[in-house]
Amino acid sequence: LKSNQIKQMDSDKEKEGKGKKKGHHHKKEKHSHSRSRSSSSSSSSSNEGQPQQVAPGFSQVKPAQTCKDVISSVENIFVKQKPHYMELCGCEFENEYNVFKLKGGEAGKEICGKQLFSCKEKSGCCVRHCLSGDCRPFKLHVQARCRNAHGKKEEKDFLLLDRPYKCTFLCCNRPYMSVTLIEDGKSELLGYIQDPFACCDKTVDIIKGEDTKNKPDYRITGKCCQCGFFCQCPCGPCKEINFKIVDNGKQEETGQVKKVWSGCAKEILSDADNFQAMLPAHADWVDKTLILAAVLFIDFRFFEY
């Protein structure tokens, strides 16, 4: 009996030892799991502030370019009217313009850069044939060439220029044109382009806001005695007509608009014109947009016969 009791006590001790070993093993496993979790969390937190690496062969998507970005990025512009040589037969077509970025260079030798905008007139056939360009009603749709998110160029609606019919006599019923932003379905009135009464000089006022009675922010004036108004030829003072842009707030000249010689064939066989505009250095995108609209208004008002 004593021997049996001794054997039973030995077996009980062995079972207790095995149970302690198992518990110690489980504790080690839990500790290792907790250490792995803490290391993974610390590695993820350390990578939060670092920029994510892009796999080779893939490029990050750039934000799409807006029409405001296009007009804000330019300092000088070149407006080129598309000639319609069929007008020699007596037909009057809708005016079309392309607007380019004007790069720097020697005076008179500026370089025409990439195209920024395209403008197309919308008007009736009877209106174009029965009324002169300085008083006929029209709408000009302006589209901007913007870069999309994939880096490709696409045309987006930018502006709607609307000029109603005006039968002008001296200071009565002066012509004007509204400028409306229509990008992304908007309809926001930016301002007006107006031709005030002036005895001699060619004058255009730029008014920001929704009220035509506001004080003009800019005034564009050209002397009426310039040779280019009476004789157009590719030499001397006859090859260009100068207009100065005056900031009414500062009462100083801040920019310039020039009608330049567009080539013999284009000048003789059509009434298409080219313009250069040196924009004010402090102008924001609204100012630049209204000056672009003023250049188109000047062509219709003073050079569309």
Side-chain angles (χ1 to χ4, degrees), residues 70-86:
V70 176
I71 191 66
S72 299
S73 63
V74 297
E75 297 178 357
N76 305 318
I77 56 175
F78 182 80
V79 181
K80 185 177 183 180
Q81 185 179 357
K82 182 179 178 181
H84 293 285
Y85 298 111
M86 289 297 293

Side-chain angles (χ1 to χ4, degrees), residues 74-79 99-100 102 116 275-277 279 292:
V74 297
E75 297 178 357
N76 305 318
I77 56 175
F78 182 80
V79 181
V99 183
F100 301 87
L102 189 64
L116 304 174
F275 293 88
Q276 294 179 3
L279 306 176
L292 169 61

